[in-house]
Amino acid sequence: GKKHTVLISAMQNLGSANFDAQNWEDALNCFNHRLSILKQIEKAQFEPHSGNKNKSMEVSRVDEEICITLQSIARAHGKMGEMLNRYDEALEYLYRQNRSQRRISDMRTL
């Protein structure tokens, strides 16, 4: 809900501030916490009792936020020497989500 939106925005801003201050571990903690919240939101959207009638729009927004967060994590890891692994994770995640979205879209046309 609204509290989650404020929290995930605050975590991104705090992570970015730590990144700019070169506090890589603090930045990673913020970004990882944000990712955890986003994944919980994503999971809840697919639960049958969620009552979300416009799932595809909401899911794509959450997916976009997850990709932004993974990119932020990759940048921070890059400063710590681990960038390639996180970019691979981001690309794999995006690929899985696109495949999933196509399946959902295909089911709607039936």
Side-chain angles (χ1 to χ4, degrees):
K2 178 107 173 133
K3 289 179 185 179
H4 287 116
T5 303
V6 171
L7 183 58
I8 60 175
S9 178
M11 294 309 295
Q12 181 68 28
N13 293 337
L14 186 56
S16 295
N18 278 306
F19 183 89
D20 291 343
Q22 299 182 357
N23 297 327
W24 315 124
E25 288 187 34
D26 291 338
L28 281 172
N29 286 335
C30 293
F31 297 141
N32 283 323
H33 187 69
R34 182 177 197 260
L35 182 61
S36 173
I37 294 167
L38 287 166
K39 284 185 175 183
Q40 290 174 18
I41 292 169
E42 179 186 49
K43 181 181 175 187
Q45 288 176 334
F46 285 105
E47 292 178 0
H49 66 279
S50 70
N52 187 354
K53 296 187 188 320
N54 196 2
K55 286 184 182 182
S56 64
M57 182 180 293
E58 287 298 315
V59 169
S60 64
R61 187 177 88 58
V62 171
D63 288 342
E64 182 180 335
E65 292 295 325
I66 288 173
C67 287
I68 289 168
T69 304
L70 288 171
Q71 182 181 22
S72 297
I73 290 170
R75 286 178 51 228
H77 273 286
K79 295 296 182 178
M80 299 171 74
E82 298 178 17
M83 183 184 289
L84 293 177
N85 290 336
R86 290 300 178 158
Y87 269 117
D88 285 347
E89 180 183 339
L91 290 173
E92 287 173 11
Y93 179 83
L94 186 59
Y95 175 74
R96 284 193 312 270
Q97 293 304 82
N98 283 336
R99 275 193 10 217
S100 175
Q101 286 292 65
R102 276 188 253 138
R103 277 189 252 129
I104 291 169
S105 178
D106 291 344
M107 290 189 309
R108 286 191 190 129
T109 59
L110 295 178

